Amino acid sequence: METHKEKILVVDDEASIRRILETRLSMIGYDVVTAADGEEALDTFHKADPDLVVLDVMMPKLDGYGVCQELRKESDIPIIMLTALGDVADRITGLELGADDYVVKPFSPKELEARIRSVLRRVEKNGVPGIPSSGVLQIASIRIDTNKRQVYKGDERIRLTGMEFSLLELLVSRSGEPFSRSEILQEVWGYTPERHVDTRVVDVHISRLRAKLEDDPSNPELILTARGTGYLFQRILEPGEEP
């Protein structure tokens, strides 16, 4: 029986980059489709149903930010942005719009391949120490189902991207204990210690989680800041345990 090949949509207006990535990613076992501009990207996305999108920022017709916004209206698909922009604030914009990670041009294809493997691995379902065997946690009005990788606030399902869920799952697995930003980057994004250069990746994802889960994101009660360290999830009490 033929095994399922994960499909990657590569979107870049430079034909040479599309060819290089299509060749390299195909060689390591991915099914690759490409698009040369933002409008073609959305069309190809709907036709090909990929598992991950590699998305250039600067493109004609519709730029990568616009494509990212459109995709996030309907899908939680993992998105890795390619950016040649020098300003860190511009790179962070993609994360704020819902991208899972970014790679700065000019980039090493090996680095991009590592980012793809890491993101795809994190969005797959896998058990995490510290999570009940049932896989379901109830914290106030928030219900986290780690088996289905779904989150509910009351009766409403809250849509999280794969990386957002993985980040939440990590924080909950050691509730009440702080994680440093570097530790989070390593555990969730698979960054090696040398890549711990831009911890804003963590800050932006924390901000996105708070916006979706907290009643008042500016005064969070679930996902707390550990001053001088990083972040922690409020301690989850065992049944019958006094606060």
Side-chain angles (χ1 to χ4, degrees):
M1 183 182 293
E2 186 178 345
T3 56
H4 168 71
K5 275 188 172 184
E6 289 168 311
K7 186 180 294 182
I8 297 176
L9 169 57
V10 173
V11 187
D12 199 299
D13 62 333
E14 293 184 51
S16 59
I17 290 180
R18 293 198 305 275
R19 280 195 302 270
I20 290 169
L21 293 182
E22 184 172 15
T23 300
R24 289 189 63 111
L25 294 173
S26 298
M27 285 175 60
I28 59 176
Y30 295 111
D31 189 4
V32 182
V33 291
T34 64
D37 61 60
E39 291 181 1
E40 185 183 354
L42 294 175
D43 187 49
T44 304
F45 170 80
H46 291 116
K47 289 178 179 175
D49 190 25
D51 297 293
L52 180 143
V53 179
V54 175
L55 181 60
D56 187 32
V57 171
M58 304 301 289
M59 291 187 299
K61 297 187 180 178
L62 183 66
D63 67 14
Y65 296 146
V67 174
C68 188
Q69 280 183 299
E70 290 302 311
L71 291 179
R72 280 292 171 255
K73 289 177 183 177
E74 59 180 291
S75 174
D76 302 326
I77 187 170
I79 298 172
I80 297 176
M81 304 287 282
L82 299 179
T83 174
L85 301 173
D87 190 340
V88 171
D90 288 334
R91 294 183 222 152
I92 295 303
T93 298
L95 296 172
E96 291 174 336
L97 294 174
D100 295 286
D101 203 353
Y102 69 84
V103 175
V104 180
K105 287 183 173 180
F107 61 89
S108 155
K110 281 189 175 181
E111 181 190 4
L112 178 59
E113 290 161 16
R115 305 302 338 127
I116 290 171
R117 282 194 299 270
S118 180
V119 170
L120 286 174
R121 185 170 61 246
R122 288 305 310 182
V123 300
E124 292 171 355
K125 190 183 92 172
N126 48 12
V128 174
I131 303 293
S133 56
S134 67
V136 178
L137 281 165
Q138 185 80 39
I139 307 102
S141 63
I142 303 295
R143 186 168 85 256
I144 304 169
D145 187 332
T146 60
N147 292 322
K148 296 180 180 178
R149 293 181 69 83
Q150 294 178 356
V151 177
Y152 291 83
K153 189 173 185 180
D155 295 326
E156 178 190 3
R157 183 180 170 190
I158 306 299
R159 282 183 52 181
L160 301 184
T161 67
M163 298 303 270
E164 286 170 348
F165 189 92
S166 292
L167 173 57
L168 176 63
E169 191 175 42
L170 177 70
L171 294 175
V172 165
S173 73
R174 268 180 20 204
S175 70
E177 296 181 34
F179 286 85
S180 70
R181 290 172 176 84
S182 293
E183 192 176 2
I184 292 170
L185 280 172
Q186 197 162 347
E187 292 289 332
V188 176
W189 277 266
Y191 281 15
T192 58
E194 308 85 68
R195 174 84 202 267
H196 292 173
V197 289
D198 191 358
T199 55
R200 285 287 306 277
V201 172
V202 175
D203 296 337
V204 172
H205 275 75
I206 290 288
S207 178
R208 279 165 39 186
L209 269 181
R210 283 172 169 168
K212 293 179 178 183
L213 300 180
E214 300 278 2
D215 291 331
D216 179 4
S218 63
N219 186 28
E221 296 181 353
L222 297 173
I223 302 170
L224 311 176
T225 299
R227 296 204 178 277
T229 306
Y231 299 100
L232 73 155
F233 198 91
Q234 66 155 269
R235 192 163 74 87
I236 300 170
L237 300 178
E238 298 293 333
E241 184 181 0
E242 292 293 328

